[in-house]
Structures are given as structure tokens and as C-alpha cells.
Amino acid sequence: MTPLPYHEDPRPDPRMLAPRAAVRSNAPRLSLNGHWRFDMAETVAEAPAGFADPGYDDGGWAELPVPAHWQLHGYGRPAYTNTRYPFPIDPPRVPTENPTGSYRRTVAVPAEWAGERIVLRFEGVDSCFAAWVNGHEVGTAQGSRLPSEFDVTEAVRPGAENLVAVRVHQWSAGSYLEDQDMWWMSGIFRDVALLARPAGGVADVFVHAGYEDGVGSLRVDVPGGARVLVPELGIDAAAGDDVRVDGVQPWSAEVPRLYDLRVVTPGERVDLRVGFRTVRISDGLLTVNGERVLLRGVNRHEFHPDRGRAVTGQDMLDDVLLMKRHNINAVRTSHYPPHPHFLELCDEYGLYVVDECDLETHGFVHVGWRGNPTDDPAWGDAYEDRMRRMVERDKNHACVIMWSLGNESWTGRNLERMYRYAHDRDPGRPVHYEHCPDGRWSDVYSRMYASQAETDLIGRREEPARGVDPVQDAARRAAPFVLCEYAHAMGNGPGGLTEYQELFESHPRCQGGFVWEWIDHGIRTRDGEGREFFGYGGDFGEELHDGNFVADGLLFPDRTPSPGLHEFAKVIEPVRITGTPDGRLRITNLHEVRDLAHLRFRWTVAEDGIEVEAGELDLPAVAAGGSVELDRPAEAGGDAETWLTVRAVLAADEPWAPAGHEVAWGQVQLAARPRTAAALTGGAVALDRVRGVLTEVADIPVDGPRLDAWRAPTDNDRIPHDSAADAWRTIGLHRLRHRVVDVRDEDGGVVVRTRSAPAALDAGFLSTMRWAPLAGGGLLLDVSVRPEGDWTGPIPRLGLAWSLPAELDRVTWYGGGPGEAYPDTRRAARIGRFTSSVDDLQTPYVMPQENGRRAGVRWAELTGRGGGLRIEALPTDDGDPETFGLTVRRWTSADLDAALHPVDLVPGDRVRLTVDMAHRGVGTASCGPDVLPQHELHAAPARLRLALTRA
Ligand code: IPT
């Protein structure tokens, strides 16, 4: 058999140097980042011959920055598939059409490097490459998100210009192991450097810094020995010594205390930032420093809308700060090791990390896992090599509390090799893997998208058995539980976070999880008219793609927090502020180690949303896990609806946020709404008795209300099969027709009865709208809706739709805000008075869909230049809600439904207002459980009383 070319050979190149820890060293280093000469060929064979020779003339070549993806610089185009390989499954072979980039640059190597060993280091190249120095081939590598080093001493000429040439292939055997749900993008996308490795230097270093029972321990392993110094702790020891460290402060995500540690050999000095902490699974719980941890985590892909995975230090810092500011304490590096600097930031700012290996063979699921490399011994070295390169690089980070073998690669013996490598080399960290049916290659029980009901069973250790081996099943059942992915944050949502968090807080075994995912991977691009938008699968001409499934993060592509992130931050807040049944305030400290001394508790009292009093609570010390009850600092004074709001804010600057940053908040109602409306002014009113709708109210030309039972489907509504959205479309909820049953004058008012139903269906809704003049001016609308006929499945909403003049472009409301809220995403909405332009009420989901609803609205005013319309919910006698859901936009739900990108939404000449009587939750059915029963909406009678007056 002809040998496989290197790019189709899964076996690691033996010329790759043994992997070692990423460290900061005083040994000389030359960065090779910057502009390289670049040429692109369609196939491997057509890449320019002899390009690695110093004499080759690259004068006609273009330039490409390193690090970067070539697809984002005009060579080829990005392509998105979720699980499907974008090439035939033919391992380890890849298509002949294999975009191949040739890179060249020179580097002046100082004469002083003569006599030193010289190493060429790549932090990440996607997906396979060969490297040459001065025409000598020095090695090849696969493993896109893993470092590789080659000894180039023989090839380099110190004191001269040296030519470095790299040939990069888009597809390789390694591509079969890198089927992560993300863009296929290639090139040298992380740093490259030339290193002088001094004789007698620090070949590697492994810091073991533990913390148990209040005492620290330290041992630093350095091949060949070294001095180990921690000046702050007075430590001056030899490598390999076991040192007891008294008086040390432990490291945790909440208090990420680090110490400078220096390793010194005759040839080199290496500086590390070390945290003392012990990770252990004991009594079925995952503990850090002996304490159970609750992971309030996210899955983080490396992403930037212009740079792809070639992220900068600032991008990484932005992520870490945004996470810390939203109460996140953990990251799973889905699904590959991050740029090494990211882990330094996690050490520094405090985030627990599940460091995941660069492995996913998900595409084999489409052929019944036939030929999956995970169980093929020919790929065993490749699997172990990947694990080894990750563990060796990242082993000194306090933040890394678990190793993860990879994602969605089914099961097989090559996982065993990875698992054993990690355990043998590093007994100090548990190993995580989700996708093995019986949980064999994992020390924790990990699942993705388990429903709340199943999570509850798991929390009780009463879940059904998995696999056939009772011993293995018992071990799995004894293990702590994490949701390595949950709460799919695609589009509007995720709904149901609160219910998960309650389980994490009530079952010790449920130690939290990682929301899928951190950021939408939308690539900034432009349409034919030059309008900017974030592209997703299919926007770059891919023949096979998975659409906007790549946009499922808590951040929009430009890192603007989505409503989902605000909701998550609220649900996982580390301090809970609530009222007690006997009229007091309870403050619960949900931190794991921190007391509340770093927070100040500011309170306000607001009547009808207007602040009337403010102050600060005087809090006694509240230890981690403790709580305190206090008298309320104020009571209601007037007869308006009154709320006490308490905000926990940082007392002083923290590294991750300034003083005053809000960490948590709570609200307690001090007085309910009075049963009478405020003083009102009316204005002209006109009713179209043929259509049964108002044409004028409060001197404003209007059209409505008409019953609306539809919303532009969300990503969660439109899962691929049997979706709620399909059912609504089949029934015709998006095209209700209205028949005025009768219009009667009654008791000084008018009663309009209208039957609203879709064509071809015999079920419908009968609405009875009673219009009456309000004492003092304005109009009272008392509307009751009753379903008729057979309504089986859920419906998205029951609302009243109006169109209004476009000039009513400001909205002020009293109710839930400031952000959008749906029945299962309304924790982040507080009761208050808010103002926004109509445009700012919209949430720009990468794929347009229902959005921007404000919940629990008592009243709203839509105003323009010359006044406007006020809509106020009034109490009914039978206890119906005195609030409504509010959406105001410049386009219809049909426009929203038809749009593929926000730029497709063009403001019309009317403002569209929907006043919801009821609305369905959003759930997470795009990947995970649907709307929970308590947030579901079925056709049922509803009633709402509204006062319509001039604003
Ligand atoms: C799960 C993947 O692990 C993750 O990478 C992402 O694709 C997510 O789904 C959906 O966005 S796997 C799925 C089959 C549950």
C-alpha cells in the first residue's frame, strides 16, 4: 500500500517535540505574528512547488496576516455545518479539492542565538500543516487548537535572515476529529514564534499547589531539577520537594488569590501565577477546597464576528469581564482548548474551567457511527496525542478543575487512552466526558439538555439505569451530576432557567452546568445594497449548511448581551433578596466562600414607578451560605402601587467591575394597585360598526383592536420536526379572519362581538368587546375572549392588535422592564417605570423572530410630537390579571416572520401595537425541553379591562 500523505495520516509526526507547559520565560523569543506572503491553491498538488526554498520568488504573492483565517480575508468562504462533515465520510481520506495555503516570511535571528537550541512553536493551525526553515522540512502537525513545537536548530542560521515557510491544508485526517458545531475556517489562526531554548533551561514544569483543611501544599516538578521561589510565602525550595504552606489563602472562582512563583535553573527563569486549591470528588460531590461548588457556567467557543477564532487578548478579556459581570463562575471550553492566554485570565479573574480537548466526531452519527475513529486503534495515537498536548500545556492553571476528553464522539477504546493519560499524569483533576452511553470515561455524570424533570430524578439518584454493566451503573449513579450543556440560548430564550436553578440549589448532586452557548457565531458581512448584518449558515453559498443554528449564544455576535444573558445573570445571582411572609426582608448569601462585606445594599421605594425614598441597609456579617432577616427599611406611604427595591452593588472596585456594579437585586411589594384608575382625559372616539374596530381614540387615528393569536415563530418554536410553528401555520393562526357577529348599543356603550378564525377550520375565538365612556373622559374596553370548537395544541398568544400612526415612536410604561420578558424568561424584569423609543424596544436576534415584549405592564403611553395614547389595565371583579404584555414595532409579525436578517425589517408607515392577554413561554425546544407546562398556553377564556385615554 502506498503510504498516506501526511495530511491524511492520522498518526502524529514523531518530529513534533514532547508537549510542555505554557509558561512565561525569560528565554529569548521572536514572534512570527504579522504579515506573511500568501498563496492559495485549490488542491495540495497545485500548491507552488519549491515555495519553501529561500530562493523562491514570491514577488507576485499577496499578504495575509498571522494569526487569521484565510476565509475572512477573501480566500474561499466560511462554511457552517453543525454535525455533518462537509465532505464525504471516507476516513482518513479527504477531498482532492483541498484548499491549501502557502505561507512565507523571513525572520532575522540574532547572532547571540548561535549555540542555543531553537524551537519553532505554533499555538494553533487549522487543520494541518508542514513547516520548513530555510528550505529544510522540520515537521508536520494536525490538531487545530493544540500547540506544536519542532526543533529547528539545524536549519536556522543565527545572525542572518531566515525563511520560514508553512503549508496549511483545510482538510486533513484531523478534520474527522474536529467536527465541532462551528464555522469551518482555516489557516494559522493563533500565534507563531521562534524560541531559543537555553541549555540547562526549564524543559517543563508541573506545579501541584493544593489546599486542604486550611493548609496549603506545594510541589513543583521540573525535569532535571530547579529552585522554586514564592517570595510572598517565603518559599525557597527545590523542585520535587513537598512543601507545607501555612498561612496561604486558597484560590477559588470567587476569591482568585494567586501567588507569583518563580522556577530558576542555571539557564532559564520561568514565572507562573499559582493558585492553591484542591479539586476532589468526595461523597458523590465535586468539591473545591472541600466545598461543594455550583457551576453557573457557559460553553465558550472562541469567536469574533470579524476575526472568527483568531481572537485577540482584548476579545478574551472582554469575554471574561462580561462573564464575571453576569455572575458566571464557570466555563467549558467547548469544544477545544482555548488560546492559552484565556486560561491566564480565568486564573486571574476567577472562573472555573472545564478544559476540553480538541475532539468531536459527531458526523459519524449520520452513518450510525460506522467507522467512528473513536474505536479504531489506527487513530489511538492521535487521540492520546491530543489529550497529552492539552494536559501538558494547561496543567498549571488553578482555574482548570476538570479535563474533558472532547465532545460528541460516541465511545470506544481511544477514549480510554485519553482518560488514562489524564489520570496517570494528573491525579489532581477529575475527567469529564459526556457522550459515552454508560458514562464509563467520566468521573462525573454529565449530560446535555436533560429536561428539568429528568434532572430532578438525577438529583434524587433515581434516574433510570444506563448501559448494561450494573457495577458501572452504580459508579455513575454515585457520581456528581453536571449538565455540560443546557438551556440552548438560540434566539428568543432560553426559557426555563429558573426551574433548573431551583434543582441545582435543592439537590446537592446537581452541581449546575453550562448554558449552550456563550456567543452567537454570526459573521459580519454585507448584503447587495451594502447593508451590514451578521451572516449564518447559507449566507456564504454553502451547498450544505445548518442555517442559523450557529447563532445560539447569550451574546450577540458583537458581544452585546442578549436578554438571555440578563435573565441568566439574575437567575444565578449570588445573593438572593426576598420578602418574608411576615413582612420582613431576607438576604441569602449564595456565595461559596465569600461573605457579603464587599457589597452595599441600596434600597429605594417607588410609587407608581416614581422613586420617593432611598437609603442603604445596614447589614450584619453574613457568611457564605448564610442568610439574615431584617426589618423593611420603609413602608408604603401613599395609596399608589408601591415597591421596595433592594440592590446589592459592589462596595469598591473589583478587578472585573467598578464600584457600584449591580450583582443582585430583589423587590417586595409594599402596597397593591388601587382599584381606581388615575384621572383621565378623553378625546375624540370613532367606531367602525362594519368592521367592529375603533378608527379613532384619544384624538388619534387607529385601526383595531383585532384578536391576534400568533407570534412570529422563535427559533424554539420552529424546531425541524413537529414544531409548534408548523402546527400554527397548518391551522392558520397567522391568518385569522374576523366576522363581526353583532354590534349592539347597551347601557350607554357599545358591545361588539367578533368571531376570529382561520380559513378552513371550524374552531375560532369569540371576542366580546364592551366599549363604554369612562367617567372623566376616555374609553373603557372590557374584552372577553372565549375559544370555540376544538383547540388541541398550544397557541402562542392571545392579544389585541392595533395599528397606530408612525409618529407615536416613544413608549413609556409601568410594569416589567427594562428588557423583554416572556412567561418563562421574566426574572430579569423588575417592576418600574421605563421609557424607550420604539426602535430600542426591538431585540435584534440574528434571525428575526418574536421579540421585545414587555411583561406585567400596568399602563403604557405611546407618544409622538402631539401627545398620544395611554392604555391602562384595570382590575376586574373576578380577579383577572391587571396587567398585559406589550409589543410595539414598526413592522408586522408577518414581516418579522419573513425576514432572514434584521436588515430585512424595513419600518412601515404604521406602528404595530399588541396588547397581550396571554402569551406562551419560549422554552428551549431548538435543542432541549419545550415550554414547561406552567408556562404553556392553551386556548382558554381570557378577559382584560383597559382604559384608553390621551397620554
Ligand atoms: C450539542 C453539541 O454538543 C453542541 O456543540 C451544539 O451543537 C449543541 O448541541 C446545539 O447547538 S449536540 C446535540 C445533539 C444535543
Side-chain angles (χ1 to χ4, degrees):
M1 215 178 93
T2 43
L4 291 161
Y6 70 88
H7 72 282
E8 291 181 316
D9 188 343
R11 292 169 305 169
D13 185 336
R15 289 173 292 180
M16 200 158 55
L17 296 174
R20 62 194 179 98
V23 288
R24 300 200 177 262
S25 154
N26 71 336
R29 176 180 187 276
L30 286 172
S31 170
L32 299 186
N33 291 355
H35 283 273
W36 291 52
R37 292 288 194 167
F38 183 71
D39 173 82
M40 182 80 186
E42 275 178 24
T43 66
V44 178
E46 288 163 325
F51 90 109
D53 293 341
Y56 182 89
D57 180 10
D58 64 13
W61 288 21
E63 287 202 330
L64 187 75
V66 166
H69 296 289
W70 65 56
Q71 287 89 348
L72 298 180
H73 290 266
Y75 299 92
R77 307 189 80 190
Y80 166 59
T81 58
N82 170 11
T83 58
R84 291 174 297 176
Y85 290 106
F87 47 78
I89 301 182
D90 182 19
R93 298 297 194 165
V94 295
T96 300
E97 269 186 64
N98 186 358
T100 293
S102 300
Y103 291 74
R104 299 178 99 240
R105 70 161 284 165
T106 58
V107 52
V109 177
E112 305 85 82
W113 285 32
E116 301 278 33
R117 207 162 69 88
I118 302 175
V119 165
L120 179 59
R121 180 176 174 95
F122 296 85
E123 296 295 344
V125 180
D126 194 328
S127 81
C128 170
F129 69 96
W132 292 258
V133 174
N134 296 328
H136 301 281
E137 185 182 317
V138 296
T140 70
Q142 297 173 20
S144 299
R145 273 71 59 174
L146 291 160
S148 46
E149 288 186 332
F150 305 95
D151 190 324
V152 296
T153 315
E154 298 297 312
V156 169
R157 283 182 292 111
E161 283 288 317
N162 290 260
L163 177 79
V164 182
V166 186
R167 178 155 284 170
V168 183
H169 310 290
Q170 171 149 10
W171 308 121
S172 67
S175 303
Y176 285 96
L177 308 186
E178 297 175 2
D179 189 27
Q180 292 95 342
D181 176 5
M182 61 190 193
W183 294 100
W184 296 96
M185 289 192 289
S186 327
I188 307 177
F189 77 101
R190 285 185 187 162
D191 315 280
V192 187
L194 212 50
L195 314 174
R197 299 296 309 137
V202 180
D204 192 13
V205 47
F206 195 170
V207 175
H208 306 269
Y211 186 83
E212 248 172 310
D213 302 325
V215 181
S217 60
L218 180 69
R219 195 187 76 237
V220 180
D221 296 328
V222 180
R227 293 279 345 138
V228 174
L229 308 166
V230 187
E232 197 184 337
L233 294 168
I235 295 173
D236 180 349
D241 284 358
D242 282 307
V243 183
R244 179 191 159 104
V245 192
D246 289 304
V248 72
Q249 287 175 268
W251 183 95
S252 66
E254 282 172 14
V255 185
R257 180 66 158 96
L258 294 174
Y259 293 86
D260 288 319
L261 181 147
R262 179 163 284 187
V263 175
V264 188
T265 64
E268 189 176 10
R269 200 180 67 222
V270 153
D271 287 302
L272 294 144
R273 302 271 287 151
V274 176
F276 291 80
R277 91 281 162 285
T278 294
V279 182
R280 186 159 288 159
I281 294 177
S282 60
D283 297 330
L285 297 179
L286 175 68
T287 62
V288 175
N289 305 329
E291 300 283 337
R292 170 189 184 259
V293 288
L294 202 170
L295 303 171
R296 302 161 169 100
V298 289
N299 280 280
R300 174 183 180 268
H301 267 283
E302 293 182 313
F303 189 74
H304 183 277
D306 303 314
R307 295 185 275 277
R309 289 185 290 276
V311 290
T312 62
Q314 185 63 47
D315 298 335
M316 298 178 225
L317 180 61
D318 288 346
D319 278 351
V320 167
L321 295 180
L322 278 163
M323 287 177 190
K324 292 293 290 185
R325 289 174 187 169
H326 291 87
N327 297 329
I328 289 165
N329 73 354
V331 186
R332 173 179 179 231
T333 68
S334 55
H335 303 296
Y336 43 81
H339 187 287
H341 179 57
F342 180 73
L343 298 178
E344 296 181 327
L345 295 172
C346 292
D347 283 342
E348 187 83 33
Y349 290 91
L351 288 165
Y352 295 124
V353 174
V354 175
D355 197 4
E356 187 150 281
C357 197
D358 195 357
L359 175 68
E360 175 159 347
T361 65
H362 210 155
F364 284 88
V365 73
H366 300 292
V367 294
W369 294 106
R370 241 180 356 261
N372 183 19
T374 303
D375 200 35
D376 181 345
W379 295 73
D381 289 347
Y383 276 62
E384 183 173 326
D385 168 70
R386 283 172 184 250
M387 195 67 186
R388 182 172 178 221
R389 280 154 76 190
M390 174 178 77
V391 169
E392 297 302 339
R393 190 195 73 168
D394 296 341
K395 58 189 181 260
N396 294 318
H397 289 286
C399 64
V400 176
I401 60 163
M402 278 200 269
W403 301 116
S404 177
L405 305 185
N407 187 54
E408 295 271 14
S409 303
W410 197 232
T411 188
R413 23 199 159 159
N414 298 333
L415 295 181
E416 179 174 2
R417 287 185 61 179
M418 298 175 92
Y419 179 86
R420 297 219 182 281
Y421 183 84
H423 268 293
D424 293 349
R425 177 69 169 137
D426 179 18
R429 289 182 180 96
V431 171
H432 166 273
Y433 182 65
E434 181 272 344
H435 216 58
C436 180
D438 63 4
R440 188 167 296 262
W441 308 122
S442 187
D443 302 322
V444 294
Y445 179 31
S446 174
R447 290 284 304 284
M448 45 174 76
Y449 308 107
S451 68
Q452 291 91 343
E454 192 186 358
T455 302
D456 186 30
L457 279 180
I458 294 169
R460 299 170 195 280
R461 300 192 197 261
E462 288 169 8
E463 72 276 15
R466 289 170 77 86
V468 292
D469 176 350
V471 175
Q472 170 55 29
D473 197 58
R476 185 195 53 74
R477 194 181 301 277
F481 179 67
V482 297
L483 278 161
C484 69
E485 294 176 24
Y486 79 112
H488 199 246
M490 185 178 184
N492 188 336
L497 286 169
T498 299
E499 289 79 3
Y500 278 113
Q501 199 65 22
E502 284 167 4
L503 294 166
F504 303 159
E505 290 178 13
S506 58
H507 296 305
R509 186 190 189 193
C510 296
Q511 297 198 249
F514 302 84
V515 166
W516 187 268
E517 64 177 306
W518 175 238
I519 184 167
D520 288 341
H521 314 201
I523 295 179
R524 202 191 311 265
T525 184
R526 287 175 187 279
D527 68 8
E529 290 160 49
R531 293 175 307 185
E532 193 178 286
F533 68 99
F534 294 116
Y536 48 75
D539 285 330
F540 301 94
E542 304 104 296
E543 64 171 16
L544 199 68
H545 67 82
D546 290 292
N548 67 316
F549 209 66
V550 77
D552 53 1
L554 294 171
L555 294 180
F556 292 109
D558 62 1
R559 288 191 162 68
T560 309
S562 78
L565 182 56
H566 295 303
E567 180 76 1
F568 189 46
K570 173 65 180 152
V571 167
I572 61 174
E573 59 190 359
V575 180
R576 189 153 301 142
I577 302 162
T578 53
T580 68
D582 59 347
R584 307 188 78 207
L585 269 184
R586 177 178 293 124
I587 300 194
T588 307
N589 181 1
L590 299 170
H591 286 96
E592 276 145 17
V593 295
R594 241 183 151 176
D595 65 23
L596 297 183
H598 66 294
L599 298 173
R600 295 168 74 158
F601 290 79
R602 298 193 177 140
W603 60 266
T604 58
V605 170
E607 294 178 355
D608 203 19
I610 307 262
E611 186 181 311
V612 293
E613 234 188 305
E616 203 164 303
L617 295 180
D618 196 9
L619 218 66
V622 186
S627 74
V628 66
E629 278 190 22
L630 309 168
D631 287 332
R632 300 202 294 222
E635 294 300 334
D639 55 3
E641 178 176 356
T642 308
W643 286 84
L644 168 68
T645 302
V646 180
R647 301 167 60 237
V649 302
L650 291 179
D653 291 350
E654 297 268 337
W656 45 271
H661 165 83
E662 182 181 287
V663 168
W665 59 272
Q667 280 190 310
V668 178
Q669 194 174 42
L670 301 182
R673 289 176 78 196
R675 313 238 349 130
T676 49
L680 304 159
T681 44
V685 174
L687 181 74
D688 176 340
R689 295 177 82 101
V690 175
R691 292 179 181 75
V693 292
L694 285 181
T695 55
E696 186 172 15
V697 64
D699 299 324
I700 293 169
V702 303
D703 182 17
R706 289 188 179 80
L707 191 78
D708 185 0
W710 193 58
R711 69 182 179 202
T714 65
D715 288 315
N716 291 313
D717 291 334
R718 55 183 172 211
I719 50 167
H721 308 288
D722 296 329
S723 74
D726 286 347
W728 302 336
R729 239 181 268 275
T730 308
I731 297 169
L733 285 184
H734 59 309
R735 47 174 171 77
L736 294 188
R737 294 288 164 173
H738 310 279
R739 174 173 66 84
V740 178
V741 178
D742 50 23
V743 179
R744 284 178 287 128
D745 296 308
E746 215 179 270
D747 302 335
V750 183
V751 181
V752 180
R753 292 197 305 155
T754 307
R755 187 173 187 279
S756 306
L761 201 74
D762 61 357
F765 299 96
L766 181 72
S767 27
T768 305
M769 303 201 188
R770 289 169 194 282
W771 299 101
L774 264 178
L779 207 57
L780 175 74
L781 167 62
D782 187 337
V783 43
S784 314
V785 177
R786 189 160 49 80
E788 292 185 336
D790 221 12
W791 288 105
T792 43
I795 61 170
R797 69 148 43 95
L798 267 187
L800 304 173
W802 318 61
S803 95
L804 306 169
E807 65 163 65
L808 300 187
D809 60 0
R810 289 209 74 72
V811 183
T812 299
W813 75 98
Y814 175 48
E820 73 177 31
Y822 290 79
D824 53 356
T825 59
R826 52 184 296 182
R827 287 280 299 280
R830 65 188 80 187
I831 302 303
R833 190 183 285 221
F834 306 95
T835 294
S836 169
S837 67
V838 171
D839 289 336
D840 287 345
L841 288 176
Q842 317 306 312
T843 307
Y845 291 112
V846 168
M847 167 70 93
Q849 53 196 277
E850 164 65 35
N851 73 83
R853 177 181 185 270
R854 270 46 181 192
V857 176
R858 281 83 166 142
W859 56 256
E861 293 178 352
L862 285 83
T863 52
R865 284 178 300 279
L869 174 66
R870 176 184 168 102
I871 302 181
E872 176 164 358
L874 300 177
T876 61
D877 302 330
D878 38 18
D880 286 295
E882 296 166 29
T883 64
F884 54 88
L886 175 75
T887 42
V888 189
R889 38 177 89 107
R890 295 165 169 284
W891 35 76
T892 63
S893 293
D895 297 332
L896 204 48
D897 181 38
L900 294 177
H901 300 102
V903 286
D904 300 335
L905 292 165
V906 183
D909 58 357
R910 304 290 286 171
V911 159
R912 311 285 169 168
L913 158 72
T914 314
V915 173
D916 282 344
M917 310 172 76
H919 203 105
R920 183 183 195 233
V922 289
T924 56
S926 55
C927 188
D930 206 342
V931 176
L932 292 172
Q934 61 271 34
H935 305 302
E936 193 47 279
L937 179 63
H938 289 282
R943 184 169 171 216
L944 185 64
R945 282 177 81 227
L946 298 174
L948 306 178
T949 56
R950 283 175 56 109

